[in-house]
Amino acid sequence: MNSYSNSYKEAGVDVTAGYKAVELMKQYVARTMTSGVLSGLGGFGGLFELDMTGISKPVLVSGTDGVGTKLKIAFLMDKHDTVGIDCVAMCVNDIICCGAKPQFFLDYIAVGKNYPEKIAKIVSGVAEGCVQSGAALIGGETAEMPGFYPVDEYDLAGFAVGVVDKDKILKPDTQKAGDVMIAIKSSGVHSNGFSLVRKVFTVNESNLARHYSDLGTTLGNVLLTPTKIYVKAVMKLLDSVKVKSISHITGGGFYENIPRSLPDGLSAKIERKAVQVLPIFDLIAQTGNIPERDMFNTFNMGVGMTVVVDKNDADKAISAINSAGEEAYVLGELVEGDYGVVIC
């Protein structure tokens, strides 16, 4: 490509670095291609043809999110090939909450300086997340913004689109007292609450390299563990039982996210001893002297998603989730009342 500008380069933007980054990332993007993709990288828009087989009333479902201050951990560890998984996960895990199947994804990377190899590593993670969720990476944007971001830092955000048959959209108003709430285990902190995490540990390279026996590895490795992508497990679950509602446990923890999937007049009653809290959350609470109520109102505490089914379908639902490679267990039940979430 005969495109360059020395003047723009002197201002801090190297367009040729952008072209190199695109060439380096093509091998990763190729892994995500599905039959619906009609365009390659480089166009002004990503084209995708929906397969309407078995769908009589298609409804598009969209979601967008970023990685947040978890990126600060990646900067300090100079590890950039997993945060893309987080970016995809935060989007696709939202749209599957209404029963939609992800179709395609786009990313946006804003950098202080374009280092093509680093951009390629970031995109390799995005591609891995797309592969895990069955979504095609059909486009994106890399913006070099000198003077806006430090030269060694970047921001990463994404956008996902899925589709669901209108008649199969989950209906939370079908829930009733006595229905069972099932937990699907998380892989760790996922991509929420990192402003508090960084404050608790006064995060720096030395602290991230510290090995904790309770964690079995370094603090940095645990904190940078990618967010679980639950698409395959949820799709398997939807084919196995009637699912009434799904909640993605993100920022705001139990108290903010679970009520979003509950109708008026119903609350979730959760036994504290039923929650399989991961060691990292115990460490955060102990190190920061954080009240348990705040922990459950900030972090996922080891529960990445919750699912509500009829009590007679609970065992079958757990079996379906486990057979898809995730771990599930009974977390609680729905009860009458407008308390949102009761942990007792």
Side-chain angles (χ1 to χ4, degrees):
M1 180 178 293
N2 186 28
S3 173
Y4 62 88
S5 170
N6 289 328
S7 297
Y8 207 9
K9 186 175 182 179
E10 289 174 0
V13 179
D14 186 354
V15 295
T16 59
Y19 305 144
K20 182 178 179 181
V22 171
E23 287 302 313
L24 292 175
M25 70 177 69
K26 282 183 177 179
Q27 60 178 311
Y28 305 116
V29 176
R31 296 181 58 217
T32 76
M33 292 298 99
T34 63
S35 59
V37 179
L38 300 181
S39 60
L41 294 182
F44 289 101
L47 304 179
F48 191 90
E49 181 179 17
L50 285 174
D51 181 358
M52 294 293 98
T53 304
I55 301 177
S56 59
K57 301 175 183 177
V59 174
L60 296 180
V61 183
S62 59
T64 185
D65 210 336
V67 181
T69 61
K70 182 174 184 174
L71 291 175
K72 289 286 189 178
I73 311 298
F75 301 157
L76 288 167
M77 295 180 65
D78 194 24
K79 182 173 173 55
H80 311 282
D81 59 350
T82 61
V83 290
I85 300 175
D86 291 290
C87 189
V88 175
M90 297 307 295
C91 298
V92 298
N93 285 345
D94 275 356
I95 67 176
I96 61 176
C97 286
C98 63
K101 181 179 181 181
Q103 300 293 308
F104 60 83
F105 186 85
L106 294 93
D107 61 12
Y108 175 79
I109 307 170
V111 302
K113 182 174 176 58
N114 190 330
Y115 298 103
E117 291 77 12
K118 180 183 287 187
I119 298 299
K121 285 183 178 179
I122 297 169
V123 174
S124 73
V126 174
E128 175 59 27
C130 287
V131 170
Q132 290 184 24
S133 59
L137 179 56
I138 64 171
E141 174 70 14
T142 300
E144 191 170 20
M145 301 168 66
F148 195 87
Y149 292 97
V151 294
D152 290 324
E153 295 191 3
Y154 55 86
D155 198 7
L156 174 62
F159 174 83
V161 172
V163 64
V164 61
D165 195 310
K166 187 175 181 179
D167 294 333
K168 294 182 178 179
I169 296 174
L170 300 190
K171 300 176 177 61
D173 58 359
T174 63
Q175 296 173 105
K176 64 183 186 301
D179 284 344
V180 171
M181 177 167 286
I182 294 169
I184 310 180
K185 294 183 69 172
S186 73
S187 57
V189 186
H190 282 184
S191 191
N192 303 104
F194 272 85
S195 292
L196 180 54
V197 168
R198 292 186 300 112
K199 179 178 182 293
V200 167
F201 293 109
T202 314
V203 168
N204 55 43
E205 292 181 11
S206 177
N207 289 343
L208 291 175
R210 180 179 174 183
H211 188 282
Y212 288 85
S213 58
D214 289 346
L215 302 181
T217 184
T218 65
L219 176 64
N221 284 339
V222 171
L223 293 181
L224 211 55
T225 300
T227 304
K228 278 275 189 179
I229 291 178
Y230 297 105
V231 174
K232 292 179 181 178
V234 168
M235 293 300 110
K236 180 72 176 291
L237 177 66
L238 293 172
D239 287 338
S240 302
V241 301
K242 179 182 178 181
V243 178
K244 298 187 177 184
S245 75
I246 301 175
S247 292
H248 182 199
I249 312 303
T250 56
F254 283 39
Y255 288 103
E256 181 177 318
N257 292 288
I258 292 177
R260 294 167 65 183
S261 65
L262 297 175
D264 292 341
L266 287 180
S267 297
K269 181 181 179 182
I270 297 170
E271 289 191 29
R272 172 61 179 82
K273 63 181 181 181
V275 185
Q276 297 180 17
V277 178
L278 296 175
I280 182 60
F281 298 110
D282 290 329
L283 181 62
I284 292 170
Q286 292 164 10
T287 305
N289 193 28
I290 301 173
E292 186 169 85
R293 177 62 166 72
D294 288 356
M295 290 295 296
F296 275 92
N297 210 153
T298 306
F299 302 106
N300 68 61
M301 299 300 285
V303 178
M305 300 200 92
T306 60
V307 176
V308 174
V309 298
D310 186 277
K311 62 180 180 181
N312 295 319
D313 290 329
D315 289 343
K316 189 174 181 181
I318 290 173
S319 178
I321 295 168
N322 291 345
S323 68
E326 302 299 337
E327 297 181 61
Y329 60 90
V330 172
L331 183 65
E333 65 176 349
L334 300 192
V335 297
E336 293 182 356
D338 287 315
Y339 311 107
V341 175
V342 179
I343 300 176
C344 54

